[in-house]
Amino acid sequence: MSKPVFLSSHSFGDLTNESTASCHNEELRNLSLSGHVGFDSLPDQLVNKSTSQGFCFNILCVGETGIGKSTLMDTLFNTKFESDPATHNEPGVRLKARSYELQESNVRLKLTIVDTVGFGDQINKDDSYKPIVEYIDAQFEAYLQEELKIKRSLFNYHDTRIHACLYFIAPTGHSLKSLDLVTMKKLDSKVNIIPIIAKADTIAKNELHKFKSKIMSELVSNGVQIYQFPTDEETVAEINATMSVHLPFAVVGSTEEVKIGNKMAKARQYPWGVVQVENESHCDFVKLREMLIRVNMEDLREQTHARHYELYRRCKLEEMGFKDTDPDSKPFSLQETYEAKRNEFLGELQKKEEEMRQMFVMRVKEKEAELKEAEKELHEKFDLLKRTHQEEKKKVEDKKKELEDEVNNFQKKKAATQLLQSQAQQSGAQQTKKDKDKKNASFT
Amino acid sequence: MSKGLPETRTDAAMSELVPEPRPKPAVPMKPVSINSNLLGYIGIDTIIEQMRKKTMKTGFDFNIMVVGQSGLGKSTLVNTLFKSQVSRKAASWNREEKIPKTVEIKAIGHVIEEGGVKMKLTVIDTPGFGDQINNENCWEPIEKYINEQYEKFLKEEVNIARKKRIPDTRVHCCLYFISPTGHSLRPLDLEFMKHLSKVVNIIPVIAKADTMTLEEKSEFKQRVRKELEVNGIEFYPQKEFDEDLEDKTENDKIRQESMPFAVVGSDKEYQVNGKRVLGRKTPWGIIEVENLNHCEFALLRDFVIRTHLQDLKEVTHNIHYETYRAKRLNDNGGLPPGEGLLGTVLPPVPATPCPSAE
């Protein structure tokens, strides 16, 4: 590569340099090179770096239980991802994510397959789409959180955002189910949807064509935005355009091999024939694999980041109250809104603190009052007891006095009676003496 | 290059974000390793081609700054590096043309293409650096410029409605020209590199290396390396950012043997041995710029452009820019930069001796 290359005037976006740099050209000068510089190795340098870090790819499979999601994944990636088939008894839809490391030549891929377990099994499917939307949002949120951190490490962040959503349509042959429409409508602004018809070997060729057109027209009339294979780059525009015509891809999955001719091929064996997975006239599996992996994997990742994630981020930040420009379209710095929010938040905090303090004070007062009451009661009781005690004491003393009085009286009475007795005795004696004297006297 | 895979993000962080009452959305398990080579070709390795195509379409930005006293051959070297008239030299040393009183920053953008790869090259010149009598703090305008570019990028990144591709004006590489005195580094050199090695990738080069003989050259280089080490100046490639053993051995070799590159620049061609080569004609011979026996220009060119260009950009983005961002957000109390509420102005962009106009 030593030919000098002339570049016709081509400006790369805006070069607006609002710094203190003086006298710089706003127009970019186009230069011709007089020899080989060597920066054409730049894409290789970039690719080498990415290769050494490894790639992430996350696929979400949405479809009813038993529609063939796990089998298709096994077939796509040529391996058996261990998983037990789900039952139909799930109470709600839940998402099961599994990560695998695959390596091909020097490319390391961290593949995450997310399955919707229990989708379409419930009697009431109103909320079926919600866990799916929540999961997708949660991955965006995780990335956003990392991006907003002060100390962040985005370059070795394990990206879990869903890059592609394979929506499995049941091969009824009629049209989309209302659950399908509702779910896809909810997901189309959050993830790249690639609709596929599962178990396509149950539909005959002529019915298939009608089925596909019915599905596509229903999607269009309901405004469902499915993933558009990019047609802006010349090398892939053609293949993408031709493949898009076959959407939704009618696929058949199988990990079993059947001998066809003298080769072993992945196929499903029926009494009436063998459906070959990789035969393009039997099903669109090869097309799906081309589109999903071999042509557009990088574009899927880029769309997820540049479109779906940015949309999520914008909505989330706006929800939190941030704006880029105010009504006068003057650039509204994030700073102001942050400050306002912070003041608001601090104000709320303060208010809460006040409330809590007041409540605390009130409680304390209540408790104090209670305690005072109790104290008063106690005092009263004590007084009462004291009085009772005093009364009793008085009573006892009264009784004692009474008793003493009685005793005194008794003593007095006793003394008196004794005296009387002695007097009586004396007088008796005197009487008797008198009597005796009398008698004596009479005798004389 | 076999590098370890990035660690699986702690799953706890993801599950915390989900409200409890609903059936909990799943969290990716630890990855299971499956070697699929045996079972058939999937086509995962095509992602390399896909990625390459995309990057070729979008093109690359590269911003290189040259710092050094006037007359050291900065413009010539840049022209030689990119094989075109990237900088217009101060053609004749004209006394009427005033030496700028302070360091000026001149950024000129170019678009060049080679092999289908489009590159927007911006060369940032710093006339006036080290040319005054009193050169105190002459690195400050440079530091300010670099930080301003980080600030601009940060502002764009923090926007709610972001551009698909944020224009990258950050300085990816700073070539610092050392005067070939043959003795040691000047105090100005040390001061500059000490301050700036923390914010930008500095590649020291010994200018006008044709004034030294081979022995003088290697002695000088050794002394310069020693001095840089003693003063704790980490020039690019920095030791701490070596990602794995392979990188380390490769970079060690460059750090300890080749750097600083002793270069000679020229944009004139002469006939040597039947070939046209870039060189400098002297009475005693023609110094061939791209001859490794004569000078190390080819090493510098290969290093900066052919092998480490992407790495320069990545270190700038992943490390210098992130450091700046973290510091800026921390200073603001976790808030992104901008003008404060009710006209209160936040602390200006660092290294500003005078108020900045934002």
Side-chain angles (χ1 to χ4, degrees):
Chain A
M1 281 285 164
S2 51
K3 303 189 294 230
V5 178
F6 251 101
L7 197 64
S8 56
S9 54
H10 180 113
S11 57
F12 262 136
D14 307 333
L15 175 66
T16 46
N17 227 330
E18 301 152 6
S19 62
T20 54
S22 55
C23 59
H24 72 89
N25 282 344
E26 290 237 346
E27 289 160 20
L28 296 174
R29 298 158 57 187
N30 21 299
L31 295 175
S32 58
L33 303 174
S34 59
H36 179 52
V37 176
F39 61 86
D40 53 352
S41 64
L42 202 45
D44 291 312
Q45 294 181 34
L46 178 63
V47 160
N48 279 340
K49 281 229 171 264
S50 309
T51 323
S52 51
Q53 279 176 346
F55 300 91
C56 279
F57 196 58
N58 310 317
I59 304 181
L60 169 68
C61 293
V62 182
E64 300 168 356
T65 315
I67 206 170
K69 304 187 285 288
S70 312
T71 316
L72 186 68
M73 287 297 109
D74 287 351
T75 325
L76 258 179
F77 293 102
N78 271 336
T79 143
K80 189 96 178 73
F81 297 120
E82 342 83 51
S83 55
D84 315 307
T87 66
H88 288 276
N89 299 333
E90 298 280 339
V93 178
R94 65 185 170 86
L95 280 90
K96 196 166 63 160
R98 289 209 155 98
S99 294
Y100 306 95
E101 280 175 25
L102 304 176
Q103 176 152 4
E104 202 166 67
S105 45
N106 60 338
V107 176
R108 236 183 277 116
L109 183 73
K110 208 168 210 167
L111 176 72
T112 303
I113 298 180
V114 186
D115 230 332
T116 51
V117 180
F119 189 75
D121 277 334
Q122 297 76 33
I123 295 176
N124 180 359
K125 295 181 254 217
D126 277 341
D127 292 343
S128 291
Y129 69 88
K130 287 191 186 147
I132 307 177
V133 170
E134 274 171 16
Y135 180 84
I136 296 176
D137 280 346
Q139 309 317 307
F140 283 148
E141 184 67 30
Y143 190 87
L144 182 64
Q145 291 297 324
E146 180 67 25
E147 203 185 21
L148 291 178
K149 273 195 197 157
I150 292 184
K151 205 162 186 299
R152 59 189 190 179
S153 54
L154 279 177
F155 55 93
N156 56 9
Y157 176 79
H158 173 39
D159 194 359
T160 53
R161 300 173 292 183
I162 301 291
H163 301 123
C165 171
L166 293 179
Y167 196 94
F168 288 69
I169 300 169
T172 56
H174 300 309
S175 61
L176 285 173
K177 298 190 180 151
S178 41
L179 174 65
D180 294 338
L181 277 170
V182 164
T183 313
M184 278 202 267
K185 198 87 180 79
K186 292 281 178 195
L187 293 178
D188 69 355
S189 58
K190 294 191 176 287
V191 76
N192 301 315
I193 299 184
I194 302 178
I196 58 181
I197 300 172
K199 298 199 170 178
D201 50 350
T202 48
I203 312 182
K205 257 294 174 62
N206 49 344
E207 293 172 352
L208 185 63
H209 188 69
K210 259 201 307 191
F211 189 34
K212 281 191 183 183
S213 359
K214 188 86 209 299
I215 293 176
M216 291 310 279
S217 63
E218 276 198 330
L219 288 176
V220 166
S221 58
N222 280 280
V224 174
Q225 309 243 356
I226 58 173
Y227 174 69
Q228 300 295 323
F229 297 118
T231 47
D232 47 359
E233 222 230 287
E234 326 88 43
T235 44
V236 295
E238 209 189 301
I239 186 170
N240 277 339
T242 42
M243 293 291 191
S244 301
V245 169
H246 295 271
L247 276 174
F249 296 126
V251 294
V252 174
S254 170
T255 45
E256 271 145 28
E257 303 211 323
V258 171
K259 195 166 174 115
I260 316 268
N262 53 356
K263 281 198 305 176
M264 296 296 282
K266 290 193 279 253
R268 286 175 65 75
Q269 181 142 52
Y270 291 105
W272 47 88
V274 178
V275 178
Q276 295 158 38
V277 168
E278 280 171 315
N279 187 332
E280 290 208 52
S281 56
H282 287 199
C283 75
D284 296 332
F285 172 81
V286 172
K287 294 195 182 67
L288 174 67
R289 184 177 57 195
E290 273 303 300
M291 288 291 98
L292 184 65
I293 301 177
R294 298 188 190 171
V295 178
N296 297 308
M297 192 150 76
E298 183 59 25
D299 186 68
L300 283 162
R301 281 156 40 106
E302 197 183 297
Q303 290 288 322
T304 306
H305 179 69
R307 205 149 60 92
H308 301 295
Y309 170 70
E310 286 294 317
L311 181 65
Y312 174 83
R313 177 179 174 273
R314 190 161 54 228
C315 292
K316 195 74 200 298
L317 291 181
E318 277 176 5
E319 209 180 288
M320 300 206 300
F322 300 125
K323 294 192 281 288
D324 264 344
T325 55
D326 66 6
D328 300 321
S329 73
K330 266 191 300 234
F332 213 10
S333 66
L334 215 50
Q335 170 60 25
E336 287 183 36
T337 8
Y338 257 125
E339 278 249 357
K341 278 259 150 183
R342 178 157 78 159
N343 290 339
E344 197 188 307
F345 180 64
L346 283 175
E348 261 184 44
L349 267 179
Q350 274 187 332
K351 208 170 73 174
K352 274 219 177 103
E353 214 181 294
E354 264 309 305
E355 272 177 43
M356 278 173 68
R357 190 177 297 133
Q358 281 184 359
M359 206 162 72
F360 179 70
V361 165
M362 205 170 70
R363 282 246 185 93
V364 166
K365 278 203 181 125
E366 274 178 35
K367 219 19 185 285
E368 261 186 28
E370 258 177 60
L371 283 171
K372 268 210 174 103
E373 275 275 336
E375 196 182 23
K376 207 164 99 183
E377 255 177 67
L378 269 169
H379 273 259
E380 278 180 22
K381 259 199 189 155
F382 179 66
D383 284 343
L384 190 65
L385 271 170
K386 201 162 156 194
R387 259 182 288 143
T388 332
H389 175 249
Q390 292 232 10
E391 274 175 31
E392 294 277 317
K393 192 170 170 190
K394 190 154 171 272
K395 271 194 197 156
V396 166
E397 287 199 357
D398 283 348
K399 274 222 169 118
K400 186 174 170 194
K401 197 153 166 254
E402 252 182 53
L403 199 62
E404 277 181 15
D405 282 348
E406 264 187 45
V407 166
N408 281 344
N409 280 349
F410 180 70
Q411 298 282 39
K412 274 193 202 152
K413 272 197 180 157
K414 187 172 173 196
T417 16
Q418 274 187 341
L419 192 63
L420 267 172
Q421 250 187 351
S422 64
Q423 272 186 349
Q425 264 189 335
Q426 256 192 350
S427 68
Q430 268 186 353
Q431 190 69 18
T432 4
K433 199 161 176 229
K434 262 181 183 173
D435 277 342
K436 260 181 176 178
D437 282 343
K438 250 177 163 179
K439 251 177 177 178
N440 288 337
S442 56
F443 279 130
T444 25
Chain B
M1 276 209 234
S2 55
K3 300 207 177 184
L5 264 176
E7 285 163 355
T8 316
R9 187 151 170 70
T10 45
D11 299 339
M14 280 187 268
S15 48
E16 273 164 28
L17 302 162
V18 172
E20 272 307 293
R22 284 252 154 71
K24 220 169 166 200
V27 146
M29 295 180 349
K30 264 204 155 2
V32 174
S33 191
I34 295 183
N35 192 334
S36 64
N37 280 341
L38 310 164
L39 299 164
Y41 178 67
I42 303 173
I44 301 175
D45 53 1
T46 55
I47 195 171
I48 294 188
E49 258 321 293
Q50 297 175 31
M51 199 178 240
R52 184 179 288 136
K53 280 198 207 121
K54 274 207 181 285
T55 50
M56 299 231 331
K57 200 175 109 191
T58 46
F60 299 88
D61 289 345
F62 189 61
N63 309 317
I64 186 168
M65 178 187 262
V66 284
V67 183
Q69 289 172 299
S70 65
L72 277 181
K74 304 190 290 289
S75 311
T76 317
L77 186 71
V78 175
N79 289 347
T80 324
L81 263 177
F82 293 101
K83 293 253 167 56
S84 48
Q85 289 291 319
V86 172
S87 314
R88 261 173 285 157
K89 292 172 280 183
S92 52
W93 181 232
N94 200 345
R95 270 288 158 184
E96 261 92 72
E97 225 174 73
K98 291 206 172 118
I99 302 174
K101 279 281 156 53
T102 56
V103 179
E104 291 176 350
I105 315 270
K106 287 191 189 165
I108 305 177
H110 314 271
V111 174
I112 43 183
E113 184 184 334
E114 188 180 62
V117 178
K118 290 194 201 87
M119 181 152 97
K120 176 162 144 291
L121 172 72
T122 307
V123 177
I124 302 146
D125 204 352
T126 54
F129 178 82
D131 289 336
Q132 318 306 326
I133 294 177
N134 181 358
N135 285 313
E136 260 179 17
N137 299 333
C138 65
W139 55 84
E140 274 180 12
I142 299 176
E143 201 177 338
K144 178 159 164 277
Y145 176 82
I146 293 175
N147 284 328
E148 271 172 8
Q149 306 316 306
Y150 290 146
E151 183 75 21
K152 234 197 301 173
F153 194 87
L154 180 60
K155 276 223 178 92
E156 280 293 330
E157 201 188 27
V158 144
N159 263 341
I160 292 183
R162 302 196 281 208
K163 295 196 190 128
K164 193 150 185 199
R165 209 175 141 236
I166 302 176
D168 192 357
T169 52
R170 302 171 293 187
V171 178
H172 300 129
C173 169
C174 174
L175 292 181
Y176 187 78
F177 286 71
I178 299 171
S179 194
T181 57
H183 294 201
S184 60
L185 289 173
R186 294 206 175 112
L188 176 62
D189 302 335
L190 287 170
E191 276 304 304
F192 177 86
M193 284 199 270
K194 237 193 262 189
H195 280 99
L196 279 259
S197 58
K198 301 192 191 78
V199 292
V200 75
N201 296 323
I202 294 191
I203 298 182
V205 289
I206 299 173
K208 300 205 164 174
D210 50 342
T211 53
M212 294 188 288
T213 63
L214 285 177
E215 297 86 33
E216 287 168 356
K217 213 191 297 186
S218 71
E219 271 174 28
F220 185 44
K221 278 168 69 160
Q222 258 187 329
R223 246 171 289 150
V224 168
R225 274 197 294 265
K226 188 94 187 294
E227 264 189 290
L228 290 175
E229 198 184 315
V230 160
N231 282 280
I233 296 171
E234 281 268 347
F235 52 85
Y236 180 85
Q238 296 93 338
K239 275 196 208 100
E240 44 183 337
F241 306 143
D242 282 339
E243 282 168 15
D244 60 13
L245 195 59
E246 214 182 295
D247 268 357
K248 192 170 179 315
T249 40
E250 194 187 312
N251 288 341
D252 268 346
K253 192 159 169 290
I254 297 174
R255 278 191 290 261
Q256 283 153 18
E257 289 172 18
S258 325
M259 285 183 85
F261 299 111
V263 295
V264 174
S266 168
D267 42 11
K268 293 202 172 56
E269 285 191 339
Y270 296 96
Q271 193 92 350
V272 173
N273 293 339
K275 284 198 303 178
R276 298 221 32 105
V277 289
L278 288 170
R280 284 171 63 74
K281 190 161 181 196
T282 64
W284 45 90
I286 296 182
I287 305 163
E288 294 164 51
V289 166
E290 282 172 309
N291 187 334
L292 276 172
N293 292 325
H294 292 196
C295 78
E296 292 167 356
F297 169 80
L299 287 182
L300 173 70
R301 179 199 55 206
D302 288 347
F303 180 66
V304 172
I305 298 179
R306 294 185 191 174
T307 54
H308 284 73
L309 194 78
Q310 183 59 27
D311 190 56
L312 280 163
K313 292 177 57 168
E314 288 203 359
V315 171
T316 309
H317 178 68
N318 292 332
I319 296 168
H320 295 301
Y321 169 69
E322 288 293 323
T323 314
Y324 176 82
R325 177 180 174 276
K327 184 164 172 296
R328 195 87 173 102
L329 293 185
N330 255 332
D331 287 345
N332 267 6
L335 308 170
E339 278 167 17
L341 210 49
L342 305 175
T344 55
V345 179
L346 288 171
V349 172
T352 324
C354 43
S356 68
E358 280 200 319

